[in-house]
Amino acid sequence: MLVYFTFDSRPDLQQQLLDQFPQVTFVFHNEIDNNVLAQADVIVTYGEDLTEDHIEIAQNLKWIFVASAGVEMMPHEKIAEREILVSNVRGIHKKPMAESVLAHILSLKRSLPYIYQNQKNRIWNKRGGNPSELNGSTAFIIGPGAIGAELGRILQAFQVNTIGFNRSGQSAPYMNETYQITELKNHLPKADIVISILPSTKETKHLFQYEHFQLMKDSAIFMNFGRGDLVETDLLIRVLEEKLIGHAVLDVFEEEPLPSNSKLWDLNNITISPHCSSHSTRYLERSFEIFVPSLEKWLKGETDLENKMDILRGY
């Protein structure tokens, strides 16, 4: 069996695989080699480099392990047509992403950008910046899965009222209340912080419209840490220019990298994070903690793998 990594992982993690699975041939590349691809039984990828042509070439391919939560850039139909199993690392992002979201919230609440700017300019001003408190706030978590639950757990420690929104409306961990996403507009006026961690699907594309922002408090913080197509870019620019909300923190964008001529760069009520909220020195380590047991199962002929996905649904 040949397992083909289309990225070059850490040497210590590679050695772990070689020692634990001597019966498997592993190939580690930084780009796709079609000759190796044609022989691969399993591909490990970040999900951004596979095309329909690659799937056509990989005639032995039976399983794709995606070392990412998102699969929107993969050739869904071609993979489904071939009935190739797809699994991912859903859940490994919860610690770093929850910490990133919390860091941005606390930074804004405690006026850290103002403090940093004053330090840069050698200004001592004890009374500026308009700091506020996180405790007692109401935070909406749209998509309260693994990441949302971890975020809810931390926010509740700050005495934040957490309200989750999902497809079913069924209760979710560390949410004080949970509603269906279709009920979002009914509740938006009471939100102090709105955090989306939704995947990219047909249902979530451009889910947020102008009227959603009209319903929010003019002091509300809107945070998108899911996928960039939740809101149209031009609409988001309009909302921020009109100051319908207090601030936006965006880790994801419709077009990435964000073009240097985008109006978003010029606005003073936005924080632009270059899709890095899940980054951590422990990222690959956590990915391997899912991949290794899955590979053990696969070698035994089992296909009920952790985080097995419906590629056409995108999760």
Side-chain angles (χ1 to χ4, degrees), residues 29-191:
H29 283 164
N30 273 324
E31 57 185 28
I32 295 178
D33 181 322
N34 287 342
N35 293 324
V36 180
L37 187 65
Q39 305 172 56
D41 301 285
V42 179
I43 288 178
V44 182
T45 171
Y46 281 129
E48 300 175 348
D49 53 1
L50 294 178
T51 66
E52 288 192 3
D53 289 341
H54 289 139
I55 302 301
E56 191 64 40
I57 292 168
Q59 286 300 307
N60 292 339
L61 183 60
K62 300 176 183 65
W63 171 30
I64 300 173
F65 180 83
V66 186
S68 170
V71 295
E72 61 272 8
M73 296 179 68
M74 294 176 66
H76 298 185
E77 289 76 15
K78 194 69 175 179
I79 291 170
E81 179 185 311
R82 288 273 308 278
E83 298 184 344
I84 297 167
L85 188 149
V86 179
S87 64
N88 71 355
V89 294
R90 185 180 69 250
I92 73 162
H93 306 87
K94 67 181 183 180
K95 295 290 186 182
M97 285 190 68
E99 290 183 11
S100 291
V101 172
L102 181 65
H104 285 293
I105 293 173
L106 287 174
S107 175
L108 292 171
K109 288 288 185 181
R110 302 309 303 159
S111 299
L112 295 191
Y114 173 82
I115 291 172
Y116 295 154
Q117 188 62 36
N118 278 355
Q119 177 182 340
K120 182 179 178 181
N121 295 325
R122 299 172 182 250
I123 296 173
W124 180 281
N125 185 349
K126 293 170 59 177
R127 304 200 178 278
N130 195 32
S132 60
E133 298 179 13
L134 175 57
N135 72 85
S137 300
T138 294
F140 284 14
I141 299 176
I142 307 172
I147 299 167
E150 178 65 9
L151 184 55
R153 182 185 71 82
I154 295 172
L155 287 174
Q156 286 185 350
F158 282 82
Q159 298 178 328
V160 173
N161 181 40
T162 56
I163 301 179
F165 291 85
N166 55 25
R167 293 179 66 190
S168 65
Q170 294 180 351
S171 61
Y174 298 104
M175 298 297 122
N176 296 115
E177 305 168 48
T178 311
Y179 301 98
Q180 290 182 309
I181 291 179
T182 53
E183 300 178 74
L184 184 58
K185 288 182 181 178
N186 299 333
H187 299 275
L188 273 173
K190 61 188 177 186

